[in-house]
Amino acid sequence: FWAAENEVELPLASYDVDDSTAAALYNQYCIPIKKSELRPLDLVFNAALTHMAVVGRDGKIYEAAGSDIGVVVNNSVDDRIVQSIYGKKYGTAEKYRKDPWTKFGRLKIYENILD
């Protein structure tokens, strides 16, 4: 997320932000929204606010799921099954069911855009 933000230089704050935790992203830069209000460019978070993903233009959820998995695309916010890029090599499970997305946020800069 932050690499993409740096590419397009979103005005998230009056100062440059190079990195932040998922919790800080949710608490400082997002307004909480309901799952039913999700639209492209909104963010989804796990309950512990330790991981996040972005809603794509196609309604799919894109997340960087880990070094043994890579970037994962799920068809809906209710799916969070990821598949290892290594299959069952190195003792990893082929598929993982991850904690569900339970918190949803819209970047404050998009609050009044796209309505």
Side-chain angles (χ1 to χ4, degrees):
F1 176 83
W2 291 110
E5 186 277 331
N6 285 333
E7 280 291 317
V8 297
E9 299 179 9
L10 295 174
L12 293 180
S14 58
Y15 53 90
D16 268 345
V17 179
D18 290 327
D19 200 1
S20 186
T21 63
L25 183 60
Y26 180 79
N27 291 317
Q28 294 175 13
Y29 301 107
C30 287
I31 56 167
I33 60 172
K34 297 176 185 172
K35 180 168 71 170
S36 62
E37 298 173 315
L38 284 171
R39 62 185 183 203
L41 300 178
D42 286 339
L43 304 177
V44 297
F45 299 85
N46 64 355
L49 291 175
T50 56
H51 197 65
M52 53 82 58
V54 64
V55 179
R57 288 185 179 145
D58 52 8
K60 294 180 180 181
I61 307 299
Y62 294 81
E63 75 171 296
S67 59
D68 67 328
I69 299 168
V71 174
V72 172
V73 180
N74 278 297
N75 289 324
S76 87
V77 71
D78 295 318
D79 294 331
R80 193 157 180 232
I81 298 172
V82 297
Q83 184 167 350
S84 172
I85 60 174
Y86 300 116
K88 292 184 179 180
K89 287 184 182 179
Y90 311 113
T92 62
E94 187 173 0
K95 292 188 178 182
Y96 301 79
R97 180 169 291 282
K98 301 283 236 174
D99 293 339
W101 304 119
T102 58
K103 296 185 186 234
F104 312 98
R106 178 162 299 136
L107 290 169
K108 290 176 183 176
I109 61 169
Y110 296 139
E111 184 175 7
N112 297 313
I113 297 174
L114 304 172
D115 282 337

mmCIF file of all heavy atoms in Angstrom, residues 28-69:
data_model
loop_
_atom_site.group_PDB
_atom_site.id
_atom_site.type_symbol
_atom_site.label_atom_id
_atom_site.label_comp_id
_atom_site.label_asym_id
_atom_site.label_seq_id
_atom_site.Cartn_x
_atom_site.Cartn_y
_atom_site.Cartn_z
ATOM 1 N N GLN A 28 -5.628 6.564 11.737
ATOM 2 C CA GLN A 28 -5.236 7.928 11.401
ATOM 3 C C GLN A 28 -5.733 8.403 10.046
ATOM 4 O O GLN A 28 -5.997 9.589 9.867
ATOM 5 C CB GLN A 28 -3.715 8.061 11.432
ATOM 6 C CG GLN A 28 -3.125 7.890 12.806
ATOM 7 C CD GLN A 28 -1.601 7.918 12.781
ATOM 8 O OE1 GLN A 28 -0.986 8.300 11.792
ATOM 9 N NE2 GLN A 28 -0.997 7.512 13.870
ATOM 10 N N TYR A 29 -5.835 7.491 9.076
ATOM 11 C CA TYR A 29 -6.095 7.923 7.706
ATOM 12 C C TYR A 29 -7.429 7.470 7.144
ATOM 13 O O TYR A 29 -7.783 7.851 6.037
ATOM 14 C CB TYR A 29 -4.970 7.434 6.789
ATOM 15 C CG TYR A 29 -3.622 7.947 7.216
ATOM 16 C CD1 TYR A 29 -2.704 7.110 7.815
ATOM 17 C CD2 TYR A 29 -3.284 9.286 7.058
ATOM 18 C CE1 TYR A 29 -1.470 7.579 8.234
ATOM 19 C CE2 TYR A 29 -2.058 9.768 7.475
ATOM 20 C CZ TYR A 29 -1.153 8.907 8.061
ATOM 21 O OH TYR A 29 0.055 9.384 8.479
ATOM 22 N N CYS A 30 -8.161 6.657 7.894
ATOM 23 C CA CYS A 30 -9.438 6.135 7.393
ATOM 24 C C CYS A 30 -10.607 6.611 8.241
ATOM 25 O O CYS A 30 -10.457 6.904 9.424
ATOM 26 C CB CYS A 30 -9.440 4.600 7.435
ATOM 27 S SG CYS A 30 -8.400 3.833 6.184
ATOM 28 N N ILE A 31 -11.763 6.646 7.604
ATOM 29 C CA ILE A 31 -13.003 6.758 8.360
ATOM 30 C C ILE A 31 -13.614 5.359 8.355
ATOM 31 O O ILE A 31 -13.601 4.677 7.320
ATOM 32 C CB ILE A 31 -13.976 7.789 7.750
ATOM 33 C CG1 ILE A 31 -14.283 7.470 6.291
ATOM 34 C CG2 ILE A 31 -13.449 9.186 7.889
ATOM 35 C CD1 ILE A 31 -15.449 8.250 5.738
ATOM 36 N N PRO A 32 -14.082 4.890 9.487
ATOM 37 C CA PRO A 32 -14.704 3.561 9.525
ATOM 38 C C PRO A 32 -15.975 3.553 8.675
ATOM 39 O O PRO A 32 -16.733 4.525 8.666
ATOM 40 C CB PRO A 32 -15.033 3.365 11.002
ATOM 41 C CG PRO A 32 -14.147 4.316 11.731
ATOM 42 C CD PRO A 32 -13.983 5.491 10.811
ATOM 43 N N ILE A 33 -16.189 2.468 7.962
ATOM 44 C CA ILE A 33 -17.406 2.287 7.171
ATOM 45 C C ILE A 33 -17.932 0.878 7.416
ATOM 46 O O ILE A 33 -17.243 0.032 7.983
ATOM 47 C CB ILE A 33 -17.152 2.524 5.663
ATOM 48 C CG1 ILE A 33 -16.095 1.556 5.127
ATOM 49 C CG2 ILE A 33 -16.780 3.964 5.390
ATOM 50 C CD1 ILE A 33 -15.916 1.593 3.624
ATOM 51 N N LYS A 34 -19.158 0.642 6.965
ATOM 52 C CA LYS A 34 -19.759 -0.686 7.060
ATOM 53 C C LYS A 34 -19.328 -1.529 5.863
ATOM 54 O O LYS A 34 -19.022 -0.995 4.799
ATOM 55 C CB LYS A 34 -21.277 -0.583 7.070
ATOM 56 C CG LYS A 34 -21.825 0.154 8.260
ATOM 57 C CD LYS A 34 -23.316 0.305 8.137
ATOM 58 C CE LYS A 34 -23.853 1.152 9.265
ATOM 59 N NZ LYS A 34 -25.254 1.485 9.090
ATOM 60 N N LYS A 35 -19.347 -2.837 6.044
ATOM 61 C CA LYS A 35 -18.998 -3.740 4.953
ATOM 62 C C LYS A 35 -19.878 -3.477 3.736
ATOM 63 O O LYS A 35 -19.404 -3.501 2.602
ATOM 64 C CB LYS A 35 -19.126 -5.191 5.418
ATOM 65 C CG LYS A 35 -18.774 -6.194 4.347
ATOM 66 C CD LYS A 35 -18.604 -7.614 4.857
ATOM 67 C CE LYS A 35 -19.876 -8.257 5.258
ATOM 68 N NZ LYS A 35 -19.725 -9.707 5.522
ATOM 69 N N SER A 36 -21.135 -3.170 3.957
ATOM 70 C CA SER A 36 -22.069 -2.931 2.852
ATOM 71 C C SER A 36 -21.748 -1.658 2.068
ATOM 72 O O SER A 36 -22.256 -1.449 0.977
ATOM 73 C CB SER A 36 -23.498 -2.873 3.378
ATOM 74 O OG SER A 36 -23.639 -1.795 4.292
ATOM 75 N N GLU A 37 -20.911 -0.793 2.614
ATOM 76 C CA GLU A 37 -20.556 0.468 1.961
ATOM 77 C C GLU A 37 -19.265 0.384 1.148
ATOM 78 O O GLU A 37 -18.856 1.362 0.527
ATOM 79 C CB GLU A 37 -20.391 1.571 3.010
ATOM 80 C CG GLU A 37 -21.642 1.866 3.790
ATOM 81 C CD GLU A 37 -21.417 2.829 4.935
ATOM 82 O OE1 GLU A 37 -20.431 2.673 5.686
ATOM 83 O OE2 GLU A 37 -22.237 3.759 5.061
ATOM 84 N N LEU A 38 -18.614 -0.780 1.143
ATOM 85 C CA LEU A 38 -17.333 -0.917 0.454
ATOM 86 C C LEU A 38 -17.436 -0.589 -1.029
ATOM 87 O O LEU A 38 -18.409 -0.956 -1.684
ATOM 88 C CB LEU A 38 -16.788 -2.338 0.611
ATOM 89 C CG LEU A 38 -16.190 -2.693 1.957
ATOM 90 C CD1 LEU A 38 -15.909 -4.181 2.032
ATOM 91 C CD2 LEU A 38 -14.928 -1.884 2.229
ATOM 92 N N ARG A 39 -16.422 0.098 -1.528
ATOM 93 C CA ARG A 39 -16.311 0.417 -2.945
ATOM 94 C C ARG A 39 -14.822 0.387 -3.307
ATOM 95 O O ARG A 39 -13.963 0.315 -2.429
ATOM 96 C CB ARG A 39 -16.955 1.754 -3.255
ATOM 97 C CG ARG A 39 -16.320 2.921 -2.556
ATOM 98 C CD ARG A 39 -17.101 4.182 -2.832
ATOM 99 N NE ARG A 39 -16.437 5.317 -2.196
ATOM 100 C CZ ARG A 39 -17.027 6.432 -1.880
ATOM 101 N NH1 ARG A 39 -18.311 6.596 -2.124
ATOM 102 N NH2 ARG A 39 -16.362 7.411 -1.323
ATOM 103 N N PRO A 40 -14.490 0.450 -4.582
ATOM 104 C CA PRO A 40 -13.084 0.407 -4.978
ATOM 105 C C PRO A 40 -12.234 1.441 -4.233
ATOM 106 O O PRO A 40 -12.686 2.553 -3.967
ATOM 107 C CB PRO A 40 -13.122 0.715 -6.476
ATOM 108 C CG PRO A 40 -14.461 0.192 -6.904
ATOM 109 C CD PRO A 40 -15.378 0.509 -5.754
ATOM 110 N N LEU A 41 -11.034 1.021 -3.875
ATOM 111 C CA LEU A 41 -10.027 1.787 -3.140
ATOM 112 C C LEU A 41 -10.265 1.823 -1.643
ATOM 113 O O LEU A 41 -9.448 2.383 -0.904
ATOM 114 C CB LEU A 41 -9.850 3.207 -3.688
ATOM 115 C CG LEU A 41 -9.417 3.299 -5.139
ATOM 116 C CD1 LEU A 41 -9.333 4.760 -5.577
ATOM 117 C CD2 LEU A 41 -8.079 2.608 -5.357
ATOM 118 N N ASP A 42 -11.363 1.234 -1.150
ATOM 119 C CA ASP A 42 -11.541 1.121 0.292
ATOM 120 C C ASP A 42 -10.604 0.035 0.812
ATOM 121 O O ASP A 42 -10.113 -0.805 0.055
ATOM 122 C CB ASP A 42 -12.996 0.781 0.644
ATOM 123 C CG ASP A 42 -13.920 1.980 0.468
ATOM 124 O OD1 ASP A 42 -13.428 3.128 0.465
ATOM 125 O OD2 ASP A 42 -15.131 1.763 0.346
ATOM 126 N N LEU A 43 -10.370 0.067 2.115
ATOM 127 C CA LEU A 43 -9.452 -0.869 2.744
ATOM 128 C C LEU A 43 -10.202 -1.778 3.704
ATOM 129 O O LEU A 43 -11.180 -1.355 4.326
ATOM 130 C CB LEU A 43 -8.358 -0.099 3.483
ATOM 131 C CG LEU A 43 -7.566 0.904 2.640
ATOM 132 C CD1 LEU A 43 -6.568 1.666 3.506
ATOM 133 C CD2 LEU A 43 -6.859 0.213 1.489
ATOM 134 N N VAL A 44 -9.743 -3.012 3.808
ATOM 135 C CA VAL A 44 -10.317 -3.982 4.736
ATOM 136 C C VAL A 44 -9.218 -4.437 5.691
ATOM 137 O O VAL A 44 -8.053 -4.522 5.300
ATOM 138 C CB VAL A 44 -10.969 -5.176 3.994
ATOM 139 C CG1 VAL A 44 -12.120 -4.702 3.136
ATOM 140 C CG2 VAL A 44 -9.965 -5.926 3.140
ATOM 141 N N PHE A 45 -9.588 -4.699 6.941
ATOM 142 C CA PHE A 45 -8.620 -5.020 7.987
ATOM 143 C C PHE A 45 -9.090 -6.228 8.779
ATOM 144 O O PHE A 45 -10.294 -6.445 8.932
ATOM 145 C CB PHE A 45 -8.492 -3.829 8.958
ATOM 146 C CG PHE A 45 -8.015 -2.559 8.312
ATOM 147 C CD1 PHE A 45 -8.910 -1.717 7.685
ATOM 148 C CD2 PHE A 45 -6.681 -2.210 8.342
ATOM 149 C CE1 PHE A 45 -8.492 -0.539 7.084
ATOM 150 C CE2 PHE A 45 -6.252 -1.030 7.744
ATOM 151 C CZ PHE A 45 -7.152 -0.193 7.119
ATOM 152 N N ASN A 46 -8.127 -6.960 9.366
ATOM 153 C CA ASN A 46 -8.508 -8.028 10.278
ATOM 154 C C ASN A 46 -8.847 -7.416 11.636
ATOM 155 O O ASN A 46 -8.602 -6.230 11.878
ATOM 156 C CB ASN A 46 -7.421 -9.102 10.368
ATOM 157 C CG ASN A 46 -6.116 -8.596 10.954
ATOM 158 O OD1 ASN A 46 -5.932 -7.419 11.226
ATOM 159 N ND2 ASN A 46 -5.183 -9.503 11.154
ATOM 160 N N ALA A 47 -9.423 -8.215 12.531
ATOM 161 C CA ALA A 47 -9.904 -7.708 13.819
ATOM 162 C C ALA A 47 -8.791 -7.089 14.653
ATOM 163 O O ALA A 47 -8.996 -6.090 15.338
ATOM 164 C CB ALA A 47 -10.597 -8.823 14.588
ATOM 165 N N ALA A 48 -7.598 -7.656 14.595
ATOM 166 C CA ALA A 48 -6.478 -7.165 15.397
ATOM 167 C C ALA A 48 -5.795 -5.944 14.783
ATOM 168 O O ALA A 48 -4.888 -5.369 15.386
ATOM 169 C CB ALA A 48 -5.455 -8.277 15.582
ATOM 170 N N LEU A 49 -6.239 -5.537 13.593
ATOM 171 C CA LEU A 49 -5.635 -4.427 12.857
ATOM 172 C C LEU A 49 -4.136 -4.649 12.625
ATOM 173 O O LEU A 49 -3.326 -3.732 12.727
ATOM 174 C CB LEU A 49 -5.869 -3.090 13.570
ATOM 175 C CG LEU A 49 -7.302 -2.574 13.578
ATOM 176 C CD1 LEU A 49 -7.422 -1.316 14.423
ATOM 177 C CD2 LEU A 49 -7.799 -2.313 12.167
ATOM 178 N N THR A 50 -3.791 -5.893 12.290
ATOM 179 C CA THR A 50 -2.401 -6.217 11.991
ATOM 180 C C THR A 50 -2.184 -6.499 10.511
ATOM 181 O O THR A 50 -1.049 -6.705 10.081
ATOM 182 C CB THR A 50 -1.944 -7.441 12.793
ATOM 183 O OG1 THR A 50 -2.816 -8.535 12.515
ATOM 184 C CG2 THR A 50 -1.942 -7.153 14.288
ATOM 185 N N HIS A 51 -3.248 -6.518 9.727
ATOM 186 C CA HIS A 51 -3.141 -6.805 8.299
ATOM 187 C C HIS A 51 -4.279 -6.117 7.561
ATOM 188 O O HIS A 51 -5.358 -5.921 8.120
ATOM 189 C CB HIS A 51 -3.180 -8.312 8.059
ATOM 190 C CG HIS A 51 -2.688 -8.710 6.712
ATOM 191 N ND1 HIS A 51 -1.383 -8.530 6.313
ATOM 192 C CD2 HIS A 51 -3.325 -9.269 5.669
ATOM 193 C CE1 HIS A 51 -1.256 -8.978 5.071
ATOM 194 N NE2 HIS A 51 -2.404 -9.421 4.657
ATOM 195 N N MET A 52 -4.028 -5.738 6.315
ATOM 196 C CA MET A 52 -5.049 -5.049 5.531
ATOM 197 C C MET A 52 -4.958 -5.460 4.078
ATOM 198 O O MET A 52 -3.992 -6.080 3.654
ATOM 199 C CB MET A 52 -4.910 -3.532 5.670
ATOM 200 C CG MET A 52 -3.538 -2.952 5.379
ATOM 201 S SD MET A 52 -3.073 -2.656 3.655
ATOM 202 C CE MET A 52 -4.320 -1.564 3.073
ATOM 203 N N ALA A 53 -5.995 -5.108 3.329
ATOM 204 C CA ALA A 53 -6.055 -5.350 1.893
ATOM 205 C C ALA A 53 -6.869 -4.217 1.273
ATOM 206 O O ALA A 53 -7.485 -3.424 1.977
ATOM 207 C CB ALA A 53 -6.690 -6.704 1.603
ATOM 208 N N VAL A 54 -6.863 -4.173 -0.053
ATOM 209 C CA VAL A 54 -7.568 -3.099 -0.757
ATOM 210 C C VAL A 54 -8.634 -3.700 -1.667
ATOM 211 O O VAL A 54 -8.461 -4.785 -2.218
ATOM 212 C CB VAL A 54 -6.576 -2.213 -1.552
ATOM 213 C CG1 VAL A 54 -5.880 -2.997 -2.641
ATOM 214 C CG2 VAL A 54 -7.252 -0.976 -2.105
ATOM 215 N N VAL A 55 -9.749 -2.978 -1.804
ATOM 216 C CA VAL A 55 -10.831 -3.386 -2.701
ATOM 217 C C VAL A 55 -10.481 -2.869 -4.098
ATOM 218 O O VAL A 55 -10.235 -1.674 -4.287
ATOM 219 C CB VAL A 55 -12.184 -2.805 -2.249
ATOM 220 C CG1 VAL A 55 -13.299 -3.216 -3.212
ATOM 221 C CG2 VAL A 55 -12.506 -3.238 -0.825
ATOM 222 N N GLY A 56 -10.456 -3.778 -5.070
ATOM 223 C CA GLY A 56 -10.145 -3.405 -6.446
ATOM 224 C C GLY A 56 -11.358 -2.877 -7.182
ATOM 225 O O GLY A 56 -12.494 -2.965 -6.705
ATOM 226 N N ARG A 57 -11.117 -2.349 -8.374
ATOM 227 C CA ARG A 57 -12.211 -1.834 -9.209
ATOM 228 C C ARG A 57 -13.221 -2.915 -9.535
ATOM 229 O O ARG A 57 -14.378 -2.632 -9.778
ATOM 230 C CB ARG A 57 -11.649 -1.274 -10.507
ATOM 231 C CG ARG A 57 -10.911 -0.002 -10.327
ATOM 232 C CD ARG A 57 -10.478 0.554 -11.665
ATOM 233 N NE ARG A 57 -9.779 1.794 -11.447
ATOM 234 C CZ ARG A 57 -8.770 2.208 -12.169
ATOM 235 N NH1 ARG A 57 -8.336 1.471 -13.171
ATOM 236 N NH2 ARG A 57 -8.188 3.341 -11.904
ATOM 237 N N ASP A 58 -12.766 -4.161 -9.552
ATOM 238 C CA ASP A 58 -13.627 -5.283 -9.884
ATOM 239 C C ASP A 58 -14.347 -5.854 -8.666
ATOM 240 O O ASP A 58 -15.035 -6.861 -8.756
ATOM 241 C CB ASP A 58 -12.801 -6.389 -10.548
ATOM 242 C CG ASP A 58 -11.578 -6.773 -9.720
ATOM 243 O OD1 ASP A 58 -11.437 -6.295 -8.563
ATOM 244 O OD2 ASP A 58 -10.758 -7.549 -10.235
ATOM 245 N N GLY A 59 -14.175 -5.217 -7.491
ATOM 246 C CA GLY A 59 -14.802 -5.698 -6.257
ATOM 247 C C GLY A 59 -14.026 -6.804 -5.572
ATOM 248 O O GLY A 59 -14.393 -7.244 -4.491
ATOM 249 N N LYS A 60 -12.942 -7.241 -6.199
ATOM 250 C CA LYS A 60 -12.111 -8.275 -5.595
ATOM 251 C C LYS A 60 -11.212 -7.657 -4.532
ATOM 252 O O LYS A 60 -10.960 -6.455 -4.534
ATOM 253 C CB LYS A 60 -11.277 -8.988 -6.655
ATOM 254 C CG LYS A 60 -12.142 -9.774 -7.631
ATOM 255 C CD LYS A 60 -11.317 -10.475 -8.672
ATOM 256 C CE LYS A 60 -12.241 -11.252 -9.611
ATOM 257 N NZ LYS A 60 -11.481 -11.970 -10.640
ATOM 258 N N ILE A 61 -10.729 -8.504 -3.616
ATOM 259 C CA ILE A 61 -9.887 -8.057 -2.515
ATOM 260 C C ILE A 61 -8.449 -8.474 -2.807
ATOM 261 O O ILE A 61 -8.175 -9.650 -3.027
ATOM 262 C CB ILE A 61 -10.359 -8.662 -1.180
ATOM 263 C CG1 ILE A 61 -11.857 -8.396 -0.957
ATOM 264 C CG2 ILE A 61 -9.516 -8.138 -0.025
ATOM 265 C CD1 ILE A 61 -12.248 -6.943 -0.891
ATOM 266 N N TYR A 62 -7.543 -7.511 -2.784
ATOM 267 C CA TYR A 62 -6.133 -7.743 -3.083
ATOM 268 C C TYR A 62 -5.321 -7.572 -1.803
ATOM 269 O O TYR A 62 -5.403 -6.533 -1.153
ATOM 270 C CB TYR A 62 -5.648 -6.736 -4.120
ATOM 271 C CG TYR A 62 -6.303 -6.918 -5.467
ATOM 272 C CD1 TYR A 62 -7.575 -6.412 -5.726
ATOM 273 C CD2 TYR A 62 -5.655 -7.601 -6.481
ATOM 274 C CE1 TYR A 62 -8.189 -6.588 -6.965
ATOM 275 C CE2 TYR A 62 -6.256 -7.783 -7.729
ATOM 276 C CZ TYR A 62 -7.512 -7.274 -7.952
ATOM 277 O OH TYR A 62 -8.109 -7.453 -9.178
ATOM 278 N N GLU A 63 -4.534 -8.608 -1.470
ATOM 279 C CA GLU A 63 -3.698 -8.518 -0.273
ATOM 280 C C GLU A 63 -2.330 -9.134 -0.514
ATOM 281 O O GLU A 63 -2.185 -10.066 -1.302
ATOM 282 C CB GLU A 63 -4.354 -9.192 0.932
ATOM 283 C CG GLU A 63 -4.333 -10.702 0.908
ATOM 284 C CD GLU A 63 -4.796 -11.341 2.196
ATOM 285 O OE1 GLU A 63 -4.131 -11.166 3.240
ATOM 286 O OE2 GLU A 63 -5.818 -12.030 2.150
ATOM 287 N N ALA A 64 -1.344 -8.595 0.160
ATOM 288 C CA ALA A 64 -0.020 -9.207 0.198
ATOM 289 C C ALA A 64 -0.069 -10.168 1.384
ATOM 290 O O ALA A 64 -0.052 -9.755 2.532
ATOM 291 C CB ALA A 64 1.056 -8.153 0.394
ATOM 292 N N ALA A 65 -0.169 -11.450 1.101
ATOM 293 C CA ALA A 65 -0.485 -12.425 2.138
ATOM 294 C C ALA A 65 0.716 -13.041 2.839
ATOM 295 O O ALA A 65 0.554 -13.787 3.776
ATOM 296 C CB ALA A 65 -1.361 -13.528 1.555
ATOM 297 N N GLY A 66 1.909 -12.768 2.405
ATOM 298 C CA GLY A 66 3.090 -13.300 3.085
ATOM 299 C C GLY A 66 4.119 -13.799 2.096
ATOM 300 O O GLY A 66 3.816 -14.069 0.937
ATOM 301 N N SER A 67 5.347 -13.962 2.579
ATOM 302 C CA SER A 67 6.439 -14.327 1.679
ATOM 303 C C SER A 67 6.285 -15.725 1.088
ATOM 304 O O SER A 67 6.776 -15.991 0.002
ATOM 305 C CB SER A 67 7.776 -14.216 2.402
ATOM 306 O OG SER A 67 7.801 -15.063 3.527
ATOM 307 N N ASP A 68 5.603 -16.621 1.783
ATOM 308 C CA ASP A 68 5.408 -17.960 1.215
ATOM 309 C C ASP A 68 4.132 -18.050 0.385
ATOM 310 O O ASP A 68 3.805 -19.095 -0.148
ATOM 311 C CB ASP A 68 5.401 -19.029 2.303
ATOM 312 C CG ASP A 68 4.209 -18.940 3.230
ATOM 313 O OD1 ASP A 68 3.731 -17.810 3.465
ATOM 314 O OD2 ASP A 68 3.747 -19.980 3.717
ATOM 315 N N ILE A 69 3.421 -16.943 0.266
ATOM 316 C CA ILE A 69 2.157 -16.939 -0.452
ATOM 317 C C ILE A 69 2.175 -15.945 -1.606
ATOM 318 O O ILE A 69 1.785 -16.248 -2.715
ATOM 319 C CB ILE A 69 0.987 -16.629 0.508
ATOM 320 C CG1 ILE A 69 0.920 -17.695 1.592
ATOM 321 C CG2 ILE A 69 -0.329 -16.545 -0.257
ATOM 322 C CD1 ILE A 69 0.005 -17.355 2.738
#
